[in-house]
């Protein structure tokens, strides 16, 4: 199974929005990245670190909405490599959790072996 097929399977089992609709939204206003090893959907948003919540406003955070990989691929490292521009934060929810994991961009970049 390819990464996008794994992502679609998970999405179809856990989300109410149609997978292809979500892909279209990210093609229009976000990031879609697909390789034989990794599939990602991400969008820029605003993170309020003090209140620990997303909010409307000037983006300061990339939120990875969906990620899947095969083999030993590292979707976080791949996302950090292909993001169109750095933000102050990067965030995602793991395996269906609604609690976002939010990291400072520079610290995460060092952790995954980036600049």
């Amino acid at each position: 199974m390819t990464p996008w097929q794994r992502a679609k399977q998970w999405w179809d089992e856990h989300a109410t929005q149609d997978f292809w609709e979500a892909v279209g939204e990210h093609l229009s206003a976000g990031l879609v990245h697909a390789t034989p090893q990794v599939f990602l959907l991400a969008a820029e948003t605003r993170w309020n670190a003090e209140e620990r919540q997303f909010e409307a406003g000037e983006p300061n955070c990339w939120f990875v909405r969906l990620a899947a990989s095969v083999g030993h691929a590292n979707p976080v490292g791949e996302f950090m490599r292909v993001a169109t521009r750095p933000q102050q934060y990067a965030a995602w929810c793991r395996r269906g959790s609604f609690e976002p994991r939010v990291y400072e961009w520079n610290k995460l970049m060092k952790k995954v072996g980036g600049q």
Side-chain angles (χ1 to χ4, degrees):
M1 187 177 292
T2 67
W4 79 263
Q5 290 168 323
R6 291 182 70 188
K8 183 179 185 312
Q9 180 181 40
W10 186 92
W11 187 272
D12 290 346
E13 293 172 3
H14 296 92
T16 56
Q17 183 183 27
D18 178 73
F19 175 78
W20 296 112
E21 182 181 342
V23 170
E25 287 177 0
H26 287 80
L27 284 170
S28 297
L31 172 71
V32 177
H33 179 70
T35 70
Q37 291 78 35
V38 175
F39 179 83
L40 300 164
L41 297 180
E44 292 176 296
T45 188
R46 177 140 194 95
W47 174 250
N48 182 326
E50 187 175 298
E51 296 185 24
R52 298 203 39 83
Q53 66 183 16
F54 295 107
E55 62 186 18
E58 186 69 26
N60 67 349
C61 178
W62 277 101
F63 180 70
V64 178
R65 190 168 180 196
L66 182 63
S69 64
V70 295
H72 297 290
N74 177 352
V76 174
E78 183 73 1
F79 165 72
M80 299 297 286
R81 187 181 71 74
V82 302
T84 53
R85 62 181 172 181
Q87 288 289 357
Q88 185 177 357
Y89 302 103
W92 57 87
C93 296
R94 291 189 50 118
R95 296 182 182 90
S97 166
F98 292 107
E99 184 66 30
R101 294 178 183 229
V102 181
Y103 298 88
E104 290 182 26
W105 185 273
N106 292 335
K107 289 181 182 178
L108 185 59
M109 184 65 90
K110 289 177 185 174
K111 187 175 183 175
V112 299
Q115 301 167 333

